[in-house]
Amino acid sequence: MGGGKILGMLIFVVVIVSAAAAAGGGGEGGYGDNQQKKWWKWMSSSSVASSSVVNPVVSSSIVLPLYGNVYPVGYYYVQLNIGQPSRPYFLDPDTGSDLTWLQCDAPCVRCTRAPHPFYKPNNDLVPCKDPLCAALHHADYKCESPEQCDYQVDYADGGSSLGVLLNDLFTFNMTSGARIKPHLALGCGYDQLPGQSYHPLDGVLGLGKGKASIVSQLHNKGLVRNVVGHCLSGKGGGFLFFGDEVYDSSRIVWTPMAHDHMKHYSTGSGELIFGGKGTGLKNLFVVFDSGSSFSYLNAHTYQGFISLLNKELNGKPLRETKDDYTLPLCWKGRRPFKTINDVKKYFKHFALSFTNGWKSKAQFEIPPESYLIISSKGSVCLGVLNGTEAGLQNVNLIGDISMQDKMVIYDNERQTIGWSPANCDRPPKSSNMIM
């Protein structure tokens, strides 16, 4: 599974994206059949479709089950039903990028292994002058083919996707009980190169802040509020949602989005807190990215964090091991560990603290179970990596591992990011019921 997916945070040929893996192969553990059976039972019993089209309404939300885990599968994924007739596809839900795309039989020049047959495109092309196309390109982009919108996405792990933008039907069940089938734009990716974080998926679900993201498109059609959120279970699975009807806002810790970093979900400057105490590691540029399996700290902050860990582990029955390559830093005990519960007593909580007003602070708490994994060899490994070595420069990234067992909400209307501890093992059945 390597080091997981990484935020791209770089400007490439025509699109700014995060390093959600460019759909590809090699996670362990299959596709979570037991999880899917459990979710299908819930979906069929509590979400009866009333019609294929509904009048625009913003008092309802869309909730989608998530599958997978940080380890050993290496990623979370969501099933979307797309096309006419509707077909299932497994996508990487990525809050770090806008573009949703599928591996596409257009025909496919180069495609990677995927769990479903490649998407067969229709002829409903998005023209180059469309605002959605413009949102994916630089301002000085020249239309070589006015009748279509070409795109190229390059990921920080070396993966890429080349394709064309088109419209097709997406099928969603609303929390109101209605079924909708809006026409939304997506990429037909006909030329893919796998990167180091190669995962066996059909494509990427772009959940970023831009006009081309799925939640922005749904909002512009009057179907949901421009809010996206997720709840990743540490046991595997969880759920993803569009709209604001599945949580109680008064029970969420909110902090403003950074206005000087409009391309990504960032809280701006943060401070590292370790064991409840300040570390002096401040002014950290922090980004939330569900397209990254692990969390990352810039080199200076990472080294400071490792020093604090080593000081805390001094005298504890753990020793660093060099024969476990699951992650860059692993420790062994006297005997193999079976669960995080065996070792979390040796590790302290840490947190990222953000200014939330004139004097108040909002803290994103990260307990040991949200930054450690138990490897297949029985070692305990650190799920916080050196972001500078990974190509993220000075970015500090909160990835999936540190967002487990929390509801994390990106409210694009109020320009805030929120979080709260939550039971991500069970889906919300009605408004405000999951906290």
Side-chain angles (χ1 to χ4, degrees):
M1 84 184 235
K5 300 164 282 179
I6 332 168
L7 180 77
M9 197 57 72
L10 302 172
I11 301 177
F12 291 102
V13 181
V14 295
V15 186
I16 301 176
V17 297
S18 80
E28 302 176 42
Y31 292 107
D33 291 338
N34 290 335
Q35 289 184 45
Q36 289 184 341
K37 290 175 182 176
K38 178 176 67 176
W39 277 97
W40 296 141
K41 181 178 180 181
W42 165 67
M43 291 292 283
S44 63
S45 64
S46 65
S47 179
V48 179
S50 62
S51 64
S52 61
V53 181
V54 297
N55 292 325
V57 70
V58 293
S59 61
S60 188
S61 297
I62 295 168
V63 180
L64 300 166
L66 290 173
Y67 312 102
N69 54 48
V70 170
Y71 184 82
V73 174
Y75 53 89
Y76 290 89
Y77 63 97
V78 63
Q79 175 178 309
L80 288 190
N81 297 302
I82 303 169
Q84 306 174 69
S86 178
R87 301 183 188 279
Y89 299 96
F90 292 164
L91 302 179
D92 180 352
D94 182 17
T95 58
S97 65
D98 295 337
L99 181 66
T100 293
W101 60 269
L102 292 171
Q103 298 204 85
C104 184
D105 185 10
C108 197
V109 178
R110 288 177 296 189
C111 282
T112 57
R113 183 169 63 89
H116 296 102
F118 298 142
Y119 170 73
K120 292 189 178 299
N122 57 37
N123 294 318
D124 189 2
L125 297 174
V126 174
C128 188
K129 295 297 185 181
D130 191 285
L132 287 180
C133 185
L136 293 174
H137 295 83
H138 299 296
D140 59 352
Y141 175 73
K142 299 293 190 291
C143 292
E144 296 183 3
S145 303
E147 72 281 359
Q148 69 183 48
C149 176
D150 298 306
Y151 73 84
Q152 180 172 329
V153 184
D154 291 274
Y155 296 94
D157 70 345
S160 65
S161 175
L162 179 71
V164 62
L165 206 63
L166 49 79
N167 295 299
D168 210 338
L169 288 181
F170 284 62
T171 302
F172 296 110
N173 291 326
M174 308 290 284
T175 53
S176 64
R179 174 170 291 176
I180 59 171
K181 292 189 177 183
H183 272 93
L184 303 175
L186 74 154
C188 163
Y190 54 77
D191 191 352
Q192 274 70 241
L193 287 176
Q196 295 178 350
S197 309
Y198 175 64
H199 295 151
L201 294 172
D202 298 304
V204 171
L205 174 60
L207 301 173
K209 300 169 71 174
K211 292 181 180 179
S213 77
I214 289 297
V215 68
S216 294
Q217 292 188 60
L218 289 167
H219 172 67
N220 289 336
K221 292 180 180 294
L223 296 171
V224 297
R225 298 285 185 191
N226 196 353
V227 177
V228 61
H230 50 73
C231 202
L232 310 175
S233 174
K235 299 176 182 177
F239 55 90
L240 173 74
F241 60 91
F242 308 141
D244 63 352
E245 290 299 302
V246 297
Y247 59 88
D248 181 352
S249 182
S250 68
R251 301 173 71 178
I252 306 295
V253 176
W254 295 102
T255 195
M257 291 184 188
H259 294 294
D260 52 345
H261 298 283
M262 296 303 292
K263 289 292 182 181
H264 303 283
Y265 290 120
S266 172
T267 50
S269 181
E271 176 184 2
L272 183 71
I273 308 296
F274 186 82
K277 299 179 180 179
T279 62
L281 298 167
K282 301 181 179 180
N283 301 316
L284 308 178
F285 172 48
V286 178
V287 167
F288 288 69
D289 185 10
S290 67
S292 173
S293 300
F294 298 107
S295 295
Y296 294 82
L297 297 173
N298 67 50
H300 174 69
T301 308
Y302 178 79
Q303 293 303 330
F305 179 61
I306 296 302
S307 295
L308 291 166
L309 276 178
N310 286 335
K311 182 178 179 181
E312 187 63 28
L313 293 176
N314 187 33
K316 305 288 174 60
L318 296 172
R319 61 180 178 84
E320 189 175 337
T321 176
K322 299 297 184 182
D323 60 356
D324 190 330
Y325 302 100
T326 303
L327 286 171
L329 183 55
C330 297
W331 298 269
K332 278 188 173 181
R334 296 189 180 98
R335 60 181 62 87
F337 300 115
K338 295 182 178 179
T339 71
I340 289 294
N341 289 332
D342 295 338
V343 295
K344 66 180 184 180
K345 61 185 177 183
Y346 302 128
F347 293 86
K348 286 189 175 181
H349 290 223
F350 78 97
L352 289 164
S353 178
F354 309 102
T355 301
N356 190 20
W358 181 248
K359 290 185 178 180
S360 63
K361 299 279 188 179
Q363 284 202 3
F364 189 87
E365 301 284 347
I366 304 175
E369 54 268 35
S370 292
Y371 69 88
L372 301 170
I373 66 164
I374 301 299
S375 76
S376 60
K377 293 186 175 183
S379 305
V380 56
C381 299
L382 181 64
V384 179
L385 311 181
N386 188 324
T388 306
E389 288 184 355
L392 298 180
Q393 300 178 2
N394 204 40
V395 174
N396 301 277
L397 186 149
I398 299 176
D400 290 346
I401 189 170
S402 300
M403 295 191 282
Q404 292 178 121
D405 300 316
K406 289 183 180 68
M407 175 167 289
V408 180
I409 304 158
Y410 313 90
D411 189 331
N412 291 302
E413 296 190 17
R414 296 172 57 224
Q415 287 293 293
T416 55
I417 298 175
W419 56 83
S420 179
N423 180 0
C424 301
D425 299 326
R426 60 188 180 95
K429 294 184 179 180
S430 60
S431 178
N432 306 337
M433 290 298 291
I434 68 170
M435 305 304 296

Coordinates of all heavy atoms in Angstrom, one line a residue, residues 135-186:
A135 N -13.5 26.6 -15.3 CA -13.1 26.4 -13.9 C -12.0 25.5 -13.8 O -11.3 25.5 -12.8 CB -14.3 26.0 -13.1
L136 N -11.7 24.6 -14.8 CA -10.7 23.6 -14.7 C -9.4 24.0 -15.4 O -8.4 23.3 -15.3 CB -11.2 22.3 -15.4 CG -12.3 21.6 -14.7 CD1 -12.7 20.4 -15.6 CD2 -11.9 21.1 -13.4
H137 N -9.4 25.2 -15.9 CA -8.2 25.7 -16.7 C -7.7 27.0 -16.2 O -8.4 27.8 -15.5 CB -8.6 25.8 -18.2 CG -8.9 24.5 -18.8 ND1 -10.1 23.9 -18.8 CD2 -8.1 23.6 -19.5 CE1 -10.1 22.7 -19.4 NE2 -8.9 22.6 -19.9
H138 N -6.5 27.4 -16.6 CA -6.0 28.7 -16.4 C -6.7 29.7 -17.2 O -7.3 29.4 -18.2 CB -4.5 28.7 -16.7 CG -3.6 27.8 -16.0 ND1 -3.5 27.9 -14.6 CD2 -2.9 26.7 -16.3 CE1 -2.7 27.0 -14.2 NE2 -2.3 26.2 -15.2
A139 N -6.7 31.0 -16.8 CA -7.4 32.0 -17.4 C -7.0 32.2 -18.9 O -7.8 32.6 -19.8 CB -7.3 33.3 -16.7
D140 N -5.7 31.9 -19.2 CA -5.2 32.1 -20.6 C -5.3 30.8 -21.4 O -4.7 30.8 -22.5 CB -3.8 32.6 -20.5 CG -2.8 31.6 -19.8 OD1 -3.4 30.6 -19.2 OD2 -1.6 31.8 -19.8
Y141 N -6.1 29.9 -21.0 CA -6.3 28.6 -21.7 C -6.9 28.9 -23.1 O -7.9 29.6 -23.2 CB -7.1 27.6 -20.9 CG -7.4 26.3 -21.7 CD1 -6.4 25.4 -21.9 CD2 -8.7 26.1 -22.1 CE1 -6.7 24.2 -22.6 CE2 -8.9 24.9 -22.8 CZ -7.9 24.0 -23.0 OH -8.2 22.8 -23.7
K142 N -6.4 28.3 -24.2 CA -6.9 28.5 -25.5 C -7.7 27.2 -25.9 O -7.2 26.1 -25.7 CB -5.8 28.7 -26.5 CG -5.0 30.0 -26.2 CD -5.8 31.3 -26.5 CE -5.0 32.5 -26.4 NZ -4.4 32.8 -25.1
C143 N -8.9 27.4 -26.5 CA -9.7 26.3 -26.9 C -9.2 25.8 -28.3 O -9.4 26.5 -29.3 CB -11.2 26.7 -27.0 SG -11.9 27.0 -25.4
E144 N -8.6 24.6 -28.3 CA -8.2 24.0 -29.6 C -9.4 23.4 -30.3 O -9.4 23.3 -31.5 CB -7.1 23.1 -29.3 CG -5.8 23.7 -28.8 CD -4.7 22.7 -28.7 OE1 -4.9 21.5 -29.0 OE2 -3.6 23.1 -28.2
S145 N -10.3 22.8 -29.5 CA -11.5 22.2 -30.0 C -12.7 22.8 -29.3 O -13.1 22.4 -28.2 CB -11.5 20.7 -29.8 OG -10.3 20.1 -30.3
P146 N -13.3 23.9 -29.9 CA -14.4 24.6 -29.3 C -15.6 23.7 -28.8 O -16.3 24.1 -27.9 CB -14.8 25.6 -30.3 CG -13.6 25.8 -31.2 CD -13.0 24.4 -31.2
E147 N -15.8 22.6 -29.6 CA -17.0 21.8 -29.3 C -16.8 20.9 -28.1 O -17.8 20.3 -27.6 CB -17.3 21.0 -30.5 CG -16.4 19.8 -30.8 CD -15.1 20.2 -31.5 OE1 -14.9 21.4 -31.7 OE2 -14.3 19.3 -31.7
Q148 N -15.6 20.8 -27.5 CA -15.4 20.0 -26.4 C -14.4 20.6 -25.4 O -13.6 21.5 -25.7 CB -14.9 18.6 -26.8 CG -13.5 18.6 -27.4 CD -13.1 17.2 -27.9 OE1 -13.9 16.5 -28.6 NE2 -11.9 16.7 -27.5
C149 N -14.5 20.1 -24.2 CA -13.6 20.5 -23.1 C -12.6 19.4 -22.8 O -12.9 18.4 -22.2 CB -14.4 20.9 -21.8 SG -13.4 21.3 -20.4
D150 N -11.3 19.6 -23.2 CA -10.3 18.7 -22.9 C -9.7 19.0 -21.5 O -9.6 20.2 -21.1 CB -9.2 18.7 -24.0 CG -9.7 18.3 -25.3 OD1 -10.3 17.2 -25.4 OD2 -9.6 19.1 -26.3
Y151 N -9.2 18.0 -20.8 CA -8.5 18.2 -19.6 C -7.4 17.3 -19.4 O -7.3 16.2 -20.0 CB -9.5 18.0 -18.4 CG -9.8 16.6 -18.1 CD1 -9.0 15.8 -17.3 CD2 -11.0 16.0 -18.6 CE1 -9.3 14.5 -17.0 CE2 -11.3 14.7 -18.4 CZ -10.5 13.9 -17.6 OH -10.8 12.6 -17.3
Q152 N -6.4 17.7 -18.6 CA -5.4 16.8 -18.1 C -5.1 17.0 -16.7 O -5.0 18.1 -16.2 CB -4.1 17.0 -18.9 CG -2.9 16.1 -18.5 CD -1.7 16.2 -19.3 OE1 -1.8 16.5 -20.5 NE2 -0.5 16.0 -18.7
V153 N -5.1 15.9 -15.9 CA -4.8 15.9 -14.5 C -3.5 15.2 -14.2 O -3.4 14.0 -14.6 CB -6.0 15.3 -13.7 CG1 -5.7 15.4 -12.2 CG2 -7.3 15.9 -14.1
D154 N -2.6 15.8 -13.5 CA -1.4 15.2 -13.1 C -1.3 15.2 -11.6 O -1.5 16.2 -11.0 CB -0.1 15.9 -13.7 CG 0.0 15.8 -15.2 OD1 0.6 14.8 -15.6 OD2 -0.5 16.7 -15.9
Y155 N -1.0 14.0 -11.0 CA -1.0 13.9 -9.6 C 0.4 13.8 -9.0 O 1.4 13.5 -9.7 CB -1.7 12.6 -9.2 CG -3.2 12.6 -9.5 CD1 -3.6 12.1 -10.7 CD2 -4.1 13.2 -8.7 CE1 -5.0 12.1 -11.1 CE2 -5.5 13.2 -9.0 CZ -5.9 12.7 -10.2 OH -7.2 12.7 -10.5
A156 N 0.6 14.2 -7.8 CA 1.9 14.3 -7.2 C 2.6 13.0 -7.0 O 3.8 13.0 -6.8 CB 1.8 15.0 -5.8
D157 N 1.9 11.9 -7.1 CA 2.5 10.6 -7.0 C 3.0 10.1 -8.3 O 3.4 9.0 -8.5 CB 1.6 9.6 -6.3 CG 0.4 9.2 -7.2 OD1 0.1 9.9 -8.2 OD2 -0.3 8.2 -6.9
G158 N 2.8 10.9 -9.4 CA 3.3 10.5 -10.7 C 2.2 10.0 -11.6 O 2.4 9.8 -12.8
G159 N 1.0 9.8 -11.1 CA -0.1 9.4 -11.9 C -0.8 10.5 -12.6 O -0.5 11.7 -12.4
S160 N -1.6 10.2 -13.7 CA -2.2 11.2 -14.5 C -3.4 10.7 -15.2 O -3.6 9.4 -15.3 CB -1.2 11.8 -15.5 OG -0.9 10.7 -16.5
S161 N -4.3 11.6 -15.6 CA -5.5 11.2 -16.4 C -5.7 12.3 -17.4 O -5.7 13.5 -17.1 CB -6.7 11.1 -15.5 OG -7.9 10.9 -16.3
L162 N -5.9 11.9 -18.6 CA -6.2 12.7 -19.8 C -7.6 12.4 -20.3 O -7.9 11.2 -20.4 CB -5.1 12.6 -20.9 CG -5.3 13.4 -22.1 CD1 -5.0 14.9 -21.9 CD2 -4.3 12.9 -23.2
G163 N -8.4 13.4 -20.6 CA -9.8 13.1 -21.1 C -10.5 14.3 -21.5 O -10.0 15.3 -21.8
V164 N -11.8 14.1 -21.6 CA -12.8 15.1 -22.1 C -14.0 15.2 -21.2 O -14.4 14.2 -20.6 CB -13.2 14.8 -23.6 CG1 -14.0 13.5 -23.6 CG2 -14.0 15.9 -24.1
L165 N -14.5 16.4 -21.0 CA -15.6 16.6 -20.1 C -16.9 16.4 -20.8 O -17.1 16.9 -21.9 CB -15.5 18.0 -19.5 CG -16.2 18.3 -18.1 CD1 -15.5 17.5 -17.0 CD2 -16.1 19.8 -17.8
L166 N -17.8 15.7 -20.1 CA -19.2 15.4 -20.7 C -20.2 15.4 -19.6 O -19.9 15.5 -18.4 CB -19.2 14.2 -21.5 CG -18.7 12.9 -20.9 CD1 -19.7 12.3 -19.9 CD2 -18.3 11.9 -22.0
N167 N -21.5 15.4 -20.0 CA -22.6 15.4 -19.0 C -23.3 14.0 -19.0 O -23.4 13.4 -20.1 CB -23.7 16.4 -19.4 CG -23.2 17.8 -19.3 OD1 -22.8 18.3 -18.2 ND2 -23.2 18.6 -20.4
D168 N -23.7 13.6 -17.9 CA -24.4 12.3 -17.8 C -25.3 12.3 -16.5 O -25.2 13.2 -15.7 CB -23.5 11.1 -17.8 CG -24.1 9.9 -18.4 OD1 -25.4 9.8 -18.5 OD2 -23.4 9.0 -18.9
L169 N -26.2 11.3 -16.5 CA -27.1 11.2 -15.3 C -26.4 10.5 -14.1 O -25.7 9.5 -14.3 CB -28.3 10.4 -15.7 CG -29.4 11.0 -16.6 CD1 -30.5 10.0 -16.9 CD2 -29.9 12.3 -16.1
F170 N -26.6 11.2 -13.0 CA -26.1 10.6 -11.7 C -27.4 10.2 -10.9 O -28.4 11.0 -10.9 CB -25.3 11.6 -10.9 CG -23.9 11.8 -11.4 CD1 -23.6 12.3 -12.6 CD2 -22.8 11.5 -10.5 CE1 -22.3 12.4 -13.1 CE2 -21.5 11.6 -11.0 CZ -21.3 12.1 -12.2
T171 N -27.5 9.1 -10.3 CA -28.6 8.7 -9.5 C -28.3 8.8 -8.0 O -27.3 8.2 -7.5 CB -29.0 7.3 -9.8 OG1 -29.3 7.2 -11.2 CG2 -30.3 6.9 -9.0
F172 N -29.1 9.6 -7.3 CA -28.9 9.7 -5.8 C -30.3 9.5 -5.1 O -31.3 10.0 -5.6 CB -28.4 11.2 -5.5 CG -27.1 11.5 -6.0 CD1 -26.9 12.4 -7.1 CD2 -25.9 10.9 -5.5 CE1 -25.7 12.8 -7.6 CE2 -24.7 11.3 -6.0 CZ -24.6 12.2 -7.0
N173 N -30.2 9.0 -3.9 CA -31.3 8.9 -3.0 C -31.2 10.0 -2.0 O -30.1 10.2 -1.4 CB -31.4 7.6 -2.3 CG -31.8 6.4 -3.2 OD1 -32.5 6.6 -4.2 ND2 -31.2 5.3 -3.0
M174 N -32.2 10.8 -1.8 CA -32.2 11.9 -0.9 C -32.7 11.5 0.5 O -33.4 10.5 0.6 CB -33.1 13.1 -1.4 CG -32.9 13.5 -2.8 SD -31.3 14.4 -3.0 CE -31.8 16.0 -2.2
T175 N -32.3 12.2 1.5 CA -32.7 11.8 2.9 C -34.3 12.0 3.0 O -34.9 11.5 3.9 CB -32.0 12.7 3.9 OG1 -32.1 14.0 3.6 CG2 -30.5 12.3 4.0
S176 N -34.8 12.8 2.1 CA -36.3 13.0 2.1 C -37.0 11.8 1.6 O -38.3 11.7 1.7 CB -36.6 14.2 1.2 OG -36.3 14.0 -0.1
G177 N -36.3 10.8 1.0 CA -36.9 9.7 0.5 C -37.1 9.7 -1.0 O -37.4 8.7 -1.7
A178 N -36.8 10.9 -1.6 CA -36.9 11.0 -3.1 C -35.7 10.5 -3.8 O -34.6 10.4 -3.2 CB -37.2 12.5 -3.5
R179 N -35.8 10.2 -5.0 CA -34.7 9.8 -5.9 C -34.6 10.8 -7.0 O -35.5 11.2 -7.6 CB -34.9 8.4 -6.5 CG -33.8 8.0 -7.5 CD -33.9 6.6 -7.9 NE -33.5 5.7 -6.8 CZ -33.6 4.4 -6.9 NH1 -34.0 3.8 -8.0 NH2 -33.3 3.6 -5.8
I180 N -33.3 11.3 -7.2 CA -33.1 12.3 -8.2 C -32.1 11.8 -9.2 O -31.2 10.9 -8.9 CB -32.6 13.6 -7.6 CG1 -31.3 13.4 -6.8 CG2 -33.7 14.3 -6.7 CD1 -30.6 14.7 -6.4
K181 N -32.2 12.3 -10.4 CA -31.2 11.9 -11.5 C -30.8 13.2 -12.2 O -31.2 13.4 -13.4 CB -31.9 10.9 -12.4 CG -32.1 9.6 -11.8 CD -32.6 8.5 -12.8 CE -32.8 7.1 -12.2 NZ -33.1 6.1 -13.2
P182 N -29.9 14.0 -11.6 CA -29.5 15.2 -12.2 C -28.4 14.9 -13.3 O -27.6 13.9 -13.2 CB -28.9 16.0 -11.1 CG -28.4 15.0 -10.1 CD -29.4 13.8 -10.2
H183 N -28.4 15.8 -14.3 CA -27.3 15.8 -15.3 C -26.1 16.5 -14.7 O -26.3 17.7 -14.3 CB -27.7 16.4 -16.6 CG -28.4 15.5 -17.6 ND1 -29.7 15.3 -17.6 CD2 -27.8 14.7 -18.5 CE1 -30.0 14.4 -18.6 NE2 -28.9 14.0 -19.1
L184 N -25.0 15.9 -14.6 CA -23.8 16.5 -14.0 C -22.6 16.3 -14.9 O -22.5 15.3 -15.7 CB -23.5 16.0 -12.6 CG -24.6 16.1 -11.5 CD1 -24.2 15.3 -10.3 CD2 -25.0 17.5 -11.3
A185 N -21.6 17.2 -14.8 CA -20.4 17.1 -15.7 C -19.4 16.2 -15.0 O -19.2 16.2 -13.8 CB -19.8 18.4 -15.9
L186 N -18.8 15.3 -15.8 CA -17.7 14.4 -15.3 C -16.7 14.2 -16.4 O -17.0 14.5 -17.6 CB -18.2 13.1 -14.8 CG -18.6 12.1 -15.9 CD1 -18.5 10.7 -15.3 CD2 -20.1 12.3 -16.3

